Amino acid sequence: MPALSFVHHYQPGAAPGAPTLLLLHGTAGNEHDLLPLAPELMPEAGLLSPRGKVLEHGMPRFFRRLAEGVFDLDDLRLRTAELADFLTAAAEHYHFDPARVIAVGFSNGANMAGSLLLLRPGALHGAVLFRAMVPLVPDPLPSLPRTPVLVSSGRTDPIVPAAETERLVTLLRDAGADVTLAWQAAGHHLVKEDVIRARDWLRLSFAQSGKGEHR
Ligand code: MLT
């Protein structure tokens, strides 16, 4: 069995076959950051929450950046592959269904989730992207047929301008994803409405007999 190469928290789902939320924290966060959101988002889901391996002045991230919003694309590709491989290894180790993994990422973690969608299109069943940017534009675009993605952005986010959100939504839709865009009266930080919107969207998109059952 391959070693699990990320420091992480794992919690099994309430029932066999329950989806697993892949929780991806923001810059300077860790594997504990998003755990309190999970019972509000999808109480029955299993949780896999890795800690980003890249350190920026001691602060964990999922990939290197050269400046705010300027990403080291070689490192991003490498780290995306590494995280996708970890996901496969963790599914084998903990016996969860790798076809039912839904990413929930915030900021740097949302950018990593976007990169997983774009570079490893089979890795995620869906994704909630809080305050996400375009991580990279692959050529050719992957095929993400009807993959449910929620993009939840802040109207006054100083790090992610509205045009960047629109670019991300267009990119994912061009790849075939079923993207819902939610605007929040907020900046770069999460607000209660993000969580409520994500909870409702997850219920709608991944109900046992719902449209999330397409893979
Ligand atoms: C990133 O580096 O992924 C974005 O700039 C968001 C962040 O500040 O982490």
Side-chain angles (χ1 to χ4, degrees):
M1 182 176 300
L4 295 181
S5 61
F6 281 75
V7 174
H8 65 281
H9 172 89
Y10 177 72
Q11 191 178 308
T20 298
L21 298 183
L22 174 68
L23 302 176
L24 300 172
H25 62 78
T27 300
N30 64 36
E31 67 278 20
H32 304 298
D33 276 21
L34 298 180
L35 295 179
L37 289 190
E40 297 191 57
L41 291 177
M42 204 184 229
E44 73 278 19
L47 307 177
L48 180 66
S49 188
R51 184 192 305 174
K53 285 187 191 183
V54 169
L55 291 180
E56 183 182 273
H57 309 299
M59 299 183 294
R61 289 176 49 84
F62 286 98
F63 57 89
R64 284 190 64 223
R65 64 180 165 182
L66 308 173
E68 179 69 61
V70 183
F71 305 142
D72 177 334
L73 295 185
D74 290 339
D75 189 64
L76 176 56
R77 285 192 186 90
L78 194 119
R79 300 290 173 185
T80 303
E82 197 177 37
L83 186 61
D85 292 345
F86 165 72
L87 207 48
T88 306
E92 199 179 312
H93 182 85
Y94 292 120
H95 306 293
F96 64 78
D97 183 352
R100 291 181 61 77
V101 175
I102 304 163
V104 176
F106 168 67
S107 190
N108 177 245
N111 295 340
M112 174 48 95
S115 185
L116 271 173
L117 284 168
L118 293 164
L119 294 178
R120 288 287 190 110
L124 297 177
H125 190 32
V128 175
L129 308 179
F130 293 122
R131 310 299 183 268
M133 306 171 79
V134 173
L136 79 177
V137 181
D139 184 15
L141 273 188
S143 176
L144 296 167
R146 292 173 52 226
T147 301
V149 180
L150 174 67
V151 174
S152 190
S153 296
R155 282 205 185 280
T156 55
D157 189 335
I159 295 174
V160 186
E164 180 71 8
T165 291
E166 303 290 354
R167 209 160 72 85
L168 176 64
V169 168
T170 300
L171 177 66
L172 291 169
R173 283 186 181 148
D174 285 351
D178 182 359
V179 184
T180 301
L181 172 58
W183 284 107
Q184 310 300 341
H188 199 66
H189 290 93
L190 280 185
V191 293
K192 187 73 193 162
E193 286 69 28
D194 281 296
V195 180
I196 293 168
R197 188 72 165 86
R199 178 199 64 195
D200 294 348
W201 177 86
L202 284 163
R203 271 191 204 145
L204 206 70
S205 304
F206 299 99
Q208 287 303 317
S209 57
K211 67 173 183 173
E213 299 293 307
H214 54 74
R215 277 183 52 191

